[in-house]
Amino acid sequence: MALAFLAAKRSKDPSTQVGACIVDKNNKVVGLGYNGFPIGCSDEEFPWRKGGKTDLDSKYMYVCHAEMNAILNKITADVTGCTMFVALFPCAECAKIIIQSRISTVVYMSDKHASKNETIASKRMLDAAGIKYRRHIPREKKIVIDFDDVDWSGMSQVPQSPVKN
Ligand SMILES: Nc1ccn([C@H]2C[C@H](O)[C@@H](COP(=O)(O)O)O2)c(=O)n1
């Protein structure tokens, strides 16, 4: 989930940055994505403002969601049986792509649009397709990357990364 949030930091959306990270059955990262405009659609030319969902001058007509980008950016032939970690519960359009790509589990952080039809429809499809979903309960409250903490000559981190007991 932390990697999904790190990917989200690359989003140029001024109001909502969403990231998604796909891992395989061995927890290997096989795809990362964040919300952004399609290749060739410049952030300077296309609108980041909110508006009606079908308004030509709003971002909703153009933005690719983090989930879709993570799937399209996959480094494996397919993502069958994989788990997607995503900051925000997938909308109905992303649910369709998740189902068709045969991802088996979705782990999300926020479900703030739970009462909206796009989320209700999403859950209806995920349930029908037998895709499991659950909210992420973070074990760590904070993950800090402080470049000043890195000993560049020895390339070691001070304090060192915690090791599993
Ligand atoms: N599951 C989701 C939900 C939304 N997004 C993206 C699409 C937009 O860039 C932004 C939502 O904008 P808002 O209406 O909150 O200003 O988040 C996504 O990538 N994945």
Side-chain angles (χ1 to χ4, degrees), residues 11-20 33-37 48-51 53 59-60 62-69 86-92 94-95 98 110 112-113 116 118-119:
S11 173
K12 301 278 194 315
D13 188 329
S15 44
T16 310
Q17 296 85 40
V18 184
Y34 55 89
N35 54 326
F37 292 139
W48 271 122
R49 64 183 151 274
K50 296 181 181 216
K53 294 270 154 144
K59 63 182 176 181
Y60 301 109
Y62 311 104
V63 72
C64 298
H65 284 197
E67 298 92 318
M68 181 175 111
N69 279 336
V86 61
L88 204 52
F89 198 93
C91 70
C94 287
I98 290 167
S110 162
K112 64 176 180 176
H113 299 306
K116 291 193 179 157
E118 60 188 41
T119 309

Side-chain angles (χ1 to χ4, degrees), residues 20-94:
C21 175
I22 305 170
V23 297
D24 69 10
K25 284 172 185 158
N26 299 314
N27 274 331
K28 282 198 178 148
V29 176
V30 294
L32 275 173
Y34 55 89
N35 54 326
F37 292 139
I39 294 165
C41 302
S42 128
D43 292 296
E44 279 69 50
E45 270 175 55
F46 283 77
W48 271 122
R49 64 183 151 274
K50 296 181 181 216
K53 294 270 154 144
T54 55
D55 182 348
L56 274 179
D57 292 324
S58 91
K59 63 182 176 181
Y60 301 109
M61 286 294 269
Y62 311 104
V63 72
C64 298
H65 284 197
E67 298 92 318
M68 181 175 111
N69 279 336
I71 293 169
L72 291 173
N73 289 341
K74 69 183 186 304
I75 55 161
T76 45
D78 71 85
V79 285
T80 301
C82 288
T83 297
M84 175 182 278
F85 289 85
V86 61
L88 204 52
F89 198 93
C91 70
E93 285 308 309
C94 287

Side-chain angles (χ1 to χ4, degrees), residues 101-158:
S101 70
R102 299 188 185 280
I103 281 175
S104 61
T105 308
V106 173
V107 185
Y108 61 92
M109 196 77 203
S110 162
D111 194 11
K112 64 176 180 176
H113 299 306
S115 60
K116 291 193 179 157
N117 277 350
E118 60 188 41
T119 309
I120 295 168
S122 170
K123 287 179 182 167
R124 195 169 166 181
M125 288 187 280
L126 294 173
D127 288 340
I131 293 176
K132 295 183 281 278
Y133 49 88
R134 64 178 162 85
R135 204 173 85 76
H136 181 66
I137 313 288
R139 257 173 295 177
E140 313 288 338
K141 279 257 175 283
K142 220 188 245 184
I143 295 175
V144 179
I145 300 171
D146 185 343
F147 288 112
D148 287 340
D149 273 350
V150 178
D151 163 15
W152 294 106
S153 55
M155 275 310 291
S156 65
Q157 285 189 50
V158 189

